[in-house]
Amino acid sequence: NAGVMQNPRHLVRRRGQEARLRCSPMKGHSHVYWYRQLPEEGLKFMVYLQKENIIDESGMPKERFSAEFPKEGPSILRIQQVVRGDSAAYFCASSPLGPGNRGPLHFGNGTRLTVT
Amino acid sequence: AQSVAQPEDQVNVAEGNPLTVKCTYSVSGNPYLFWYVQYPNRGLQFLLKYITGDNLVKGSYGFEAEFNKSQTSFHLKKPSALVSDSALYFCAVRDPGAAGNKLTFGGGTRVLVKP
């Protein structure tokens, strides 16, 4: 059973370009979470999605950032017009259950975004 | 709102000595608590969790953690540290009574085990 798959592992973008980060959850998992980790810092929650629905986006910046989890295909985190401050590691996690879930989240290896 | 504090940025320990990584939490109800480890350029690996029951929980790689409700703590421990335990450790909390299902993480503690 493959784990959470994220691609690309590394992404370099110039200021002003768009970044698309993909996440395929573990098989059977329909709940996806995106976290951001700045260098030498902890993980900050960004957004929680179920298939075709955004459940909690309280950690998403108001502008330039969006996320989706379509009925078919991976979850996408999209950053428009990237700036240097967007440089970070972005982690996706998945779980098979929603609210009340007693289990851990399962994390991918992350996408490291560098904005030049 | 739920929150987690890891008061130590780094913990240094000699190989073979006991290792403790501290964590305190704040939630409105009964917490679900987790410990994860992160190796360089990797994602987070789940170590152990506390949901209910015995306050001492055992996890992967010889790690254990003790839940203390009165002190709102969930410290991670290992009786005899290995050099390979050197990594970044994160404590996380979920409030099962809150809307949503997210984990809130502490800032992390870097563990350095010296041979």
Side-chain angles (χ1 to χ4, degrees), chain A residues 3-38:
Chain A
V4 177
M5 303 301 292
Q6 290 188 249
N7 65 82
R9 288 295 308 276
H10 300 276
L11 182 61
V12 180
R13 285 287 179 265
R14 292 195 184 94
R15 279 181 299 169
Q17 291 184 320
E18 178 180 286
R20 280 183 179 242
L21 288 63
R22 296 174 187 80
C23 168
S24 295
M26 287 182 70
K27 187 176 181 180
H29 289 194
S30 60
H31 301 260
V32 165
Y33 311 77
W34 286 93
Y35 285 81
R36 178 164 63 176
Q37 185 180 32
L38 295 171

mmCIF file of all heavy atoms in Angstrom, chain A residues 3-38:
data_model
loop_
_atom_site.group_PDB
_atom_site.id
_atom_site.type_symbol
_atom_site.label_atom_id
_atom_site.label_comp_id
_atom_site.label_asym_id
_atom_site.label_seq_id
_atom_site.Cartn_x
_atom_site.Cartn_y
_atom_site.Cartn_z
ATOM 1 N N GLY A 3 2.277 4.931 0.251
ATOM 2 C CA GLY A 3 1.969 6.012 1.172
ATOM 3 C C GLY A 3 1.452 7.224 0.436
ATOM 4 O O GLY A 3 1.079 7.169 -0.730
ATOM 5 N N VAL A 4 1.466 8.352 1.138
ATOM 6 C CA VAL A 4 1.054 9.609 0.537
ATOM 7 C C VAL A 4 2.138 10.047 -0.448
ATOM 8 O O VAL A 4 3.312 10.113 -0.086
ATOM 9 C CB VAL A 4 0.849 10.680 1.624
ATOM 10 C CG1 VAL A 4 0.481 12.015 0.984
ATOM 11 C CG2 VAL A 4 -0.211 10.224 2.617
ATOM 12 N N MET A 5 1.729 10.318 -1.668
ATOM 13 C CA MET A 5 2.688 10.665 -2.709
ATOM 14 C C MET A 5 2.564 12.139 -3.052
ATOM 15 O O MET A 5 1.467 12.621 -3.381
ATOM 16 C CB MET A 5 2.429 9.825 -3.961
ATOM 17 C CG MET A 5 2.473 8.318 -3.702
ATOM 18 S SD MET A 5 4.040 7.770 -3.059
ATOM 19 C CE MET A 5 5.089 8.055 -4.478
ATOM 20 N N GLN A 6 3.691 12.830 -2.973
ATOM 21 C CA GLN A 6 3.707 14.236 -3.351
ATOM 22 C C GLN A 6 4.683 14.450 -4.502
ATOM 23 O O GLN A 6 5.764 13.870 -4.521
ATOM 24 C CB GLN A 6 4.153 15.113 -2.173
ATOM 25 C CG GLN A 6 3.124 15.192 -1.064
ATOM 26 C CD GLN A 6 3.507 16.214 -0.018
ATOM 27 O OE1 GLN A 6 3.839 15.857 1.112
ATOM 28 N NE2 GLN A 6 3.455 17.494 -0.390
ATOM 29 N N ASN A 7 4.295 15.291 -5.423
ATOM 30 C CA ASN A 7 5.225 15.673 -6.479
ATOM 31 C C ASN A 7 4.944 17.089 -6.947
ATOM 32 O O ASN A 7 3.818 17.588 -6.818
ATOM 33 C CB ASN A 7 5.160 14.681 -7.649
ATOM 34 C CG ASN A 7 3.828 14.696 -8.355
ATOM 35 O OD1 ASN A 7 3.580 15.554 -9.208
ATOM 36 N ND2 ASN A 7 2.950 13.777 -8.016
ATOM 37 N N PRO A 8 5.996 17.771 -7.403
ATOM 38 C CA PRO A 8 7.372 17.280 -7.422
ATOM 39 C C PRO A 8 8.003 17.318 -6.034
ATOM 40 O O PRO A 8 7.445 17.923 -5.116
ATOM 41 C CB PRO A 8 8.056 18.275 -8.360
ATOM 42 C CG PRO A 8 7.310 19.550 -8.151
ATOM 43 C CD PRO A 8 5.870 19.144 -7.934
ATOM 44 N N ARG A 9 9.154 16.705 -5.856
ATOM 45 C CA ARG A 9 9.865 16.786 -4.570
ATOM 46 C C ARG A 9 10.495 18.165 -4.398
ATOM 47 O O ARG A 9 10.539 18.689 -3.290
ATOM 48 C CB ARG A 9 10.939 15.709 -4.482
ATOM 49 C CG ARG A 9 10.421 14.306 -4.290
ATOM 50 C CD ARG A 9 9.701 14.120 -2.942
ATOM 51 N NE ARG A 9 10.473 14.552 -1.794
ATOM 52 C CZ ARG A 9 11.378 13.817 -1.167
ATOM 53 N NH1 ARG A 9 11.639 12.587 -1.579
ATOM 54 N NH2 ARG A 9 12.019 14.293 -0.100
ATOM 55 N N HIS A 10 10.999 18.687 -5.487
ATOM 56 C CA HIS A 10 11.610 20.019 -5.466
ATOM 57 C C HIS A 10 11.026 20.826 -6.619
ATOM 58 O O HIS A 10 10.844 20.302 -7.721
ATOM 59 C CB HIS A 10 13.128 19.931 -5.615
ATOM 60 C CG HIS A 10 13.790 19.138 -4.536
ATOM 61 N ND1 HIS A 10 14.141 19.672 -3.311
ATOM 62 C CD2 HIS A 10 14.140 17.825 -4.470
ATOM 63 C CE1 HIS A 10 14.687 18.743 -2.553
ATOM 64 N NE2 HIS A 10 14.696 17.604 -3.237
ATOM 65 N N LEU A 11 10.765 22.091 -6.346
ATOM 66 C CA LEU A 11 10.188 22.972 -7.350
ATOM 67 C C LEU A 11 10.833 24.340 -7.230
ATOM 68 O O LEU A 11 10.843 24.923 -6.131
ATOM 69 C CB LEU A 11 8.673 23.072 -7.142
ATOM 70 C CG LEU A 11 7.872 23.907 -8.120
ATOM 71 C CD1 LEU A 11 8.001 23.357 -9.530
ATOM 72 C CD2 LEU A 11 6.407 23.976 -7.708
ATOM 73 N N VAL A 12 11.366 24.818 -8.333
ATOM 74 C CA VAL A 12 11.973 26.150 -8.350
ATOM 75 C C VAL A 12 11.141 27.042 -9.249
ATOM 76 O O VAL A 12 10.848 26.684 -10.392
ATOM 77 C CB VAL A 12 13.438 26.097 -8.849
ATOM 78 C CG1 VAL A 12 14.032 27.503 -8.860
ATOM 79 C CG2 VAL A 12 14.265 25.173 -7.963
ATOM 80 N N ARG A 13 10.761 28.188 -8.734
ATOM 81 C CA ARG A 13 9.978 29.147 -9.503
ATOM 82 C C ARG A 13 10.581 30.532 -9.328
ATOM 83 O O ARG A 13 11.116 30.872 -8.274
ATOM 84 C CB ARG A 13 8.522 29.172 -9.014
ATOM 85 C CG ARG A 13 7.721 27.959 -9.463
ATOM 86 C CD ARG A 13 7.399 28.035 -10.932
ATOM 87 N NE ARG A 13 6.658 26.893 -11.421
ATOM 88 C CZ ARG A 13 7.207 25.835 -11.983
ATOM 89 N NH1 ARG A 13 8.529 25.746 -12.099
ATOM 90 N NH2 ARG A 13 6.460 24.853 -12.407
ATOM 91 N N ARG A 14 10.450 31.337 -10.392
ATOM 92 C CA ARG A 14 10.846 32.746 -10.299
ATOM 93 C C ARG A 14 9.680 33.529 -9.708
ATOM 94 O O ARG A 14 8.507 33.141 -9.843
ATOM 95 C CB ARG A 14 11.210 33.286 -11.667
ATOM 96 C CG ARG A 14 12.464 32.691 -12.266
ATOM 97 C CD ARG A 14 12.940 33.535 -13.429
ATOM 98 N NE ARG A 14 14.096 32.916 -14.089
ATOM 99 C CZ ARG A 14 14.016 32.126 -15.126
ATOM 100 N NH1 ARG A 14 12.845 31.857 -15.664
ATOM 101 N NH2 ARG A 14 15.097 31.602 -15.645
ATOM 102 N N ARG A 15 10.000 34.625 -9.107
ATOM 103 C CA ARG A 15 8.960 35.509 -8.572
ATOM 104 C C ARG A 15 7.931 35.831 -9.647
ATOM 105 O O ARG A 15 8.271 36.131 -10.787
ATOM 106 C CB ARG A 15 9.560 36.803 -8.051
ATOM 107 C CG ARG A 15 10.161 36.693 -6.660
ATOM 108 C CD ARG A 15 10.724 38.031 -6.208
ATOM 109 N NE ARG A 15 11.785 38.484 -7.105
ATOM 110 C CZ ARG A 15 12.315 39.691 -7.081
ATOM 111 N NH1 ARG A 15 11.873 40.598 -6.222
ATOM 112 N NH2 ARG A 15 13.278 40.021 -7.894
ATOM 113 N N GLY A 16 6.670 35.716 -9.292
ATOM 114 C CA GLY A 16 5.593 36.024 -10.223
ATOM 115 C C GLY A 16 5.033 34.819 -10.953
ATOM 116 O O GLY A 16 3.939 34.906 -11.535
ATOM 117 N N GLN A 17 5.747 33.699 -10.933
ATOM 118 C CA GLN A 17 5.244 32.504 -11.598
ATOM 119 C C GLN A 17 4.239 31.780 -10.693
ATOM 120 O O GLN A 17 4.026 32.140 -9.549
ATOM 121 C CB GLN A 17 6.400 31.561 -11.952
ATOM 122 C CG GLN A 17 7.304 32.103 -13.041
ATOM 123 C CD GLN A 17 8.378 31.101 -13.430
ATOM 124 O OE1 GLN A 17 8.961 30.419 -12.586
ATOM 125 N NE2 GLN A 17 8.633 31.013 -14.731
ATOM 126 N N GLU A 18 3.647 30.758 -11.248
ATOM 127 C CA GLU A 18 2.695 29.940 -10.494
ATOM 128 C C GLU A 18 3.360 28.630 -10.076
ATOM 129 O O GLU A 18 4.173 28.074 -10.801
ATOM 130 C CB GLU A 18 1.470 29.634 -11.364
ATOM 131 C CG GLU A 18 0.436 28.750 -10.682
ATOM 132 C CD GLU A 18 -0.762 28.479 -11.571
ATOM 133 O OE1 GLU A 18 -1.581 29.383 -11.762
ATOM 134 O OE2 GLU A 18 -0.873 27.330 -12.076
ATOM 135 N N ALA A 19 2.977 28.160 -8.895
ATOM 136 C CA ALA A 19 3.455 26.860 -8.414
ATOM 137 C C ALA A 19 2.251 25.951 -8.199
ATOM 138 O O ALA A 19 1.242 26.366 -7.608
ATOM 139 C CB ALA A 19 4.220 27.027 -7.110
ATOM 140 N N ARG A 20 2.366 24.720 -8.694
ATOM 141 C CA ARG A 20 1.318 23.709 -8.479
ATOM 142 C C ARG A 20 1.931 22.514 -7.784
ATOM 143 O O ARG A 20 2.867 21.908 -8.303
ATOM 144 C CB ARG A 20 0.711 23.279 -9.809
ATOM 145 C CG ARG A 20 -0.317 24.239 -10.344
ATOM 146 C CD ARG A 20 -0.943 23.717 -11.633
ATOM 147 N NE ARG A 20 -1.950 24.656 -12.095
ATOM 148 C CZ ARG A 20 -3.235 24.351 -12.224
ATOM 149 N NH1 ARG A 20 -3.652 23.133 -11.953
ATOM 150 N NH2 ARG A 20 -4.087 25.258 -12.636
ATOM 151 N N LEU A 21 1.387 22.192 -6.633
ATOM 152 C CA LEU A 21 1.892 21.084 -5.842
ATOM 153 C C LEU A 21 0.806 20.008 -5.794
ATOM 154 O O LEU A 21 -0.361 20.313 -5.540
ATOM 155 C CB LEU A 21 2.221 21.546 -4.425
ATOM 156 C CG LEU A 21 3.463 22.435 -4.217
ATOM 157 C CD1 LEU A 21 3.349 23.776 -4.930
ATOM 158 C CD2 LEU A 21 3.689 22.659 -2.728
ATOM 159 N N ARG A 22 1.215 18.760 -6.028
ATOM 160 C CA ARG A 22 0.241 17.680 -6.115
ATOM 161 C C ARG A 22 0.393 16.697 -4.974
ATOM 162 O O ARG A 22 1.504 16.445 -4.505
ATOM 163 C CB ARG A 22 0.402 16.932 -7.439
ATOM 164 C CG ARG A 22 0.104 17.772 -8.653
ATOM 165 C CD ARG A 22 0.409 17.041 -9.943
ATOM 166 N NE ARG A 22 0.264 17.927 -11.095
ATOM 167 C CZ ARG A 22 1.172 18.788 -11.481
ATOM 168 N NH1 ARG A 22 2.312 18.902 -10.819
ATOM 169 N NH2 ARG A 22 0.960 19.544 -12.532
ATOM 170 N N CYS A 23 -0.731 16.138 -4.584
ATOM 171 C CA CYS A 23 -0.735 15.172 -3.484
ATOM 172 C C CYS A 23 -1.741 14.082 -3.779
ATOM 173 O O CYS A 23 -2.934 14.361 -3.956
ATOM 174 C CB CYS A 23 -1.100 15.869 -2.176
ATOM 175 S SG CYS A 23 -1.460 14.724 -0.813
ATOM 176 N N SER A 24 -1.266 12.843 -3.803
ATOM 177 C CA SER A 24 -2.154 11.688 -3.908
ATOM 178 C C SER A 24 -2.215 11.020 -2.541
ATOM 179 O O SER A 24 -1.186 10.533 -2.052
ATOM 180 C CB SER A 24 -1.644 10.708 -4.958
ATOM 181 O OG SER A 24 -1.678 11.300 -6.244
ATOM 182 N N PRO A 25 -3.373 10.990 -1.915
ATOM 183 C CA PRO A 25 -3.463 10.398 -0.571
ATOM 184 C C PRO A 25 -3.285 8.895 -0.624
ATOM 185 O O PRO A 25 -3.272 8.280 -1.692
ATOM 186 C CB PRO A 25 -4.876 10.771 -0.133
ATOM 187 C CG PRO A 25 -5.647 10.941 -1.403
ATOM 188 C CD PRO A 25 -4.660 11.491 -2.392
ATOM 189 N N MET A 26 -3.146 8.313 0.553
ATOM 190 C CA MET A 26 -3.073 6.862 0.644
ATOM 191 C C MET A 26 -4.379 6.270 0.117
ATOM 192 O O MET A 26 -5.447 6.881 0.202
ATOM 193 C CB MET A 26 -2.858 6.439 2.090
ATOM 194 C CG MET A 26 -1.462 6.701 2.606
ATOM 195 S SD MET A 26 -1.226 6.146 4.306
ATOM 196 C CE MET A 26 -1.265 4.368 4.078
ATOM 197 N N LYS A 27 -4.290 5.060 -0.388
ATOM 198 C CA LYS A 27 -5.468 4.379 -0.923
ATOM 199 C C LYS A 27 -6.519 4.250 0.177
ATOM 200 O O LYS A 27 -6.218 3.854 1.304
ATOM 201 C CB LYS A 27 -5.073 2.992 -1.431
ATOM 202 C CG LYS A 27 -6.192 2.266 -2.150
ATOM 203 C CD LYS A 27 -5.699 0.939 -2.714
ATOM 204 C CE LYS A 27 -6.813 0.223 -3.465
ATOM 205 N NZ LYS A 27 -6.344 -1.086 -4.015
ATOM 206 N N GLY A 28 -7.724 4.637 -0.172
ATOM 207 C CA GLY A 28 -8.814 4.545 0.793
ATOM 208 C C GLY A 28 -8.983 5.770 1.669
ATOM 209 O O GLY A 28 -9.920 5.836 2.467
ATOM 210 N N HIS A 29 -8.086 6.741 1.543
ATOM 211 C CA HIS A 29 -8.178 7.966 2.333
ATOM 212 C C HIS A 29 -8.878 9.049 1.515
ATOM 213 O O HIS A 29 -8.482 9.324 0.384
ATOM 214 C CB HIS A 29 -6.786 8.461 2.735
ATOM 215 C CG HIS A 29 -6.114 7.616 3.748
ATOM 216 N ND1 HIS A 29 -4.993 8.039 4.440
ATOM 217 C CD2 HIS A 29 -6.384 6.377 4.218
ATOM 218 C CE1 HIS A 29 -4.614 7.099 5.283
ATOM 219 N NE2 HIS A 29 -5.434 6.069 5.144
ATOM 220 N N SER A 30 -9.881 9.665 2.129
ATOM 221 C CA SER A 30 -10.611 10.713 1.414
ATOM 222 C C SER A 30 -10.479 12.073 2.089
ATOM 223 O O SER A 30 -11.174 13.017 1.713
ATOM 224 C CB SER A 30 -12.090 10.332 1.298
ATOM 225 O OG SER A 30 -12.652 10.171 2.596
ATOM 226 N N HIS A 31 -9.614 12.170 3.096
ATOM 227 C CA HIS A 31 -9.398 13.427 3.802
ATOM 228 C C HIS A 31 -7.940 13.845 3.600
ATOM 229 O O HIS A 31 -7.030 13.052 3.855
ATOM 230 C CB HIS A 31 -9.688 13.278 5.298
ATOM 231 C CG HIS A 31 -11.091 12.830 5.586
ATOM 232 N ND1 HIS A 31 -12.074 13.721 5.975
ATOM 233 C CD2 HIS A 31 -11.670 11.614 5.520
ATOM 234 C CE1 HIS A 31 -13.212 13.041 6.141
ATOM 235 N NE2 HIS A 31 -12.987 11.780 5.865
ATOM 236 N N VAL A 32 -7.744 15.065 3.147
ATOM 237 C CA VAL A 32 -6.414 15.569 2.816
ATOM 238 C C VAL A 32 -6.164 16.885 3.548
ATOM 239 O O VAL A 32 -7.063 17.732 3.642
ATOM 240 C CB VAL A 32 -6.273 15.769 1.291
ATOM 241 C CG1 VAL A 32 -5.066 16.618 0.965
ATOM 242 C CG2 VAL A 32 -6.155 14.421 0.597
ATOM 243 N N TYR A 33 -4.950 17.041 4.032
ATOM 244 C CA TYR A 33 -4.533 18.230 4.760
ATOM 245 C C TYR A 33 -3.239 18.745 4.139
ATOM 246 O O TYR A 33 -2.366 17.954 3.786
ATOM 247 C CB TYR A 33 -4.262 17.912 6.237
ATOM 248 C CG TYR A 33 -5.369 17.140 6.902
ATOM 249 C CD1 TYR A 33 -5.526 15.777 6.677
ATOM 250 C CD2 TYR A 33 -6.278 17.777 7.742
ATOM 251 C CE1 TYR A 33 -6.550 15.066 7.274
ATOM 252 C CE2 TYR A 33 -7.292 17.070 8.345
ATOM 253 C CZ TYR A 33 -7.421 15.714 8.110
ATOM 254 O OH TYR A 33 -8.436 15.015 8.700
ATOM 255 N N TRP A 34 -3.128 20.055 4.067
ATOM 256 C CA TRP A 34 -1.884 20.676 3.616
ATOM 257 C C TRP A 34 -1.292 21.487 4.768
ATOM 258 O O TRP A 34 -2.011 22.246 5.455
ATOM 259 C CB TRP A 34 -2.119 21.592 2.419
ATOM 260 C CG TRP A 34 -2.376 20.873 1.130
ATOM 261 C CD1 TRP A 34 -3.570 20.520 0.596
ATOM 262 C CD2 TRP A 34 -1.371 20.438 0.196
ATOM 263 N NE1 TRP A 34 -3.387 19.890 -0.606
ATOM 264 C CE2 TRP A 34 -2.053 19.826 -0.878
ATOM 265 C CE3 TRP A 34 0.019 20.515 0.150
ATOM 266 C CZ2 TRP A 34 -1.393 19.285 -1.986
ATOM 267 C CZ3 TRP A 34 0.676 19.973 -0.941
ATOM 268 C CH2 TRP A 34 -0.020 19.374 -1.996
ATOM 269 N N TYR A 35 0.040 21.316 4.945
ATOM 270 C CA TYR A 35 0.781 22.055 5.953
ATOM 271 C C TYR A 35 1.984 22.723 5.298
ATOM 272 O O TYR A 35 2.523 22.216 4.302
ATOM 273 C CB TYR A 35 1.286 21.115 7.061
ATOM 274 C CG TYR A 35 0.226 20.639 8.027
ATOM 275 C CD1 TYR A 35 -0.619 19.586 7.700
ATOM 276 C CD2 TYR A 35 0.087 21.237 9.282
ATOM 277 C CE1 TYR A 35 -1.585 19.139 8.604
ATOM 278 C CE2 TYR A 35 -0.871 20.796 10.181
ATOM 279 C CZ TYR A 35 -1.698 19.752 9.836
ATOM 280 O OH TYR A 35 -2.659 19.317 10.729
ATOM 281 N N ARG A 36 2.427 23.816 5.887
ATOM 282 C CA ARG A 36 3.625 24.499 5.403
ATOM 283 C C ARG A 36 4.663 24.525 6.522
ATOM 284 O O ARG A 36 4.321 24.785 7.685
ATOM 285 C CB ARG A 36 3.287 25.932 4.961
ATOM 286 C CG ARG A 36 4.495 26.723 4.501
ATOM 287 C CD ARG A 36 4.109 27.959 3.725
ATOM 288 N NE ARG A 36 3.344 28.920 4.498
ATOM 289 C CZ ARG A 36 2.960 30.110 4.029
ATOM 290 N NH1 ARG A 36 3.281 30.450 2.783
ATOM 291 N NH2 ARG A 36 2.261 30.929 4.772
ATOM 292 N N GLN A 37 5.900 24.265 6.143
ATOM 293 C CA GLN A 37 6.992 24.289 7.115
ATOM 294 C C GLN A 37 8.068 25.242 6.615
ATOM 295 O O GLN A 37 8.722 24.985 5.606
ATOM 296 C CB GLN A 37 7.586 22.896 7.320
ATOM 297 C CG GLN A 37 8.653 22.835 8.404
ATOM 298 C CD GLN A 37 9.219 21.437 8.596
ATOM 299 O OE1 GLN A 37 9.307 20.651 7.654
ATOM 300 N NE2 GLN A 37 9.601 21.105 9.831
ATOM 301 N N LEU A 38 8.245 26.328 7.342
ATOM 302 C CA LEU A 38 9.326 27.246 7.029
ATOM 303 C C LEU A 38 10.617 26.702 7.637
ATOM 304 O O LEU A 38 10.571 25.917 8.590
ATOM 305 C CB LEU A 38 9.003 28.640 7.582
ATOM 306 C CG LEU A 38 7.797 29.310 6.923
ATOM 307 C CD1 LEU A 38 7.412 30.576 7.668
ATOM 308 C CD2 LEU A 38 8.083 29.631 5.468
#
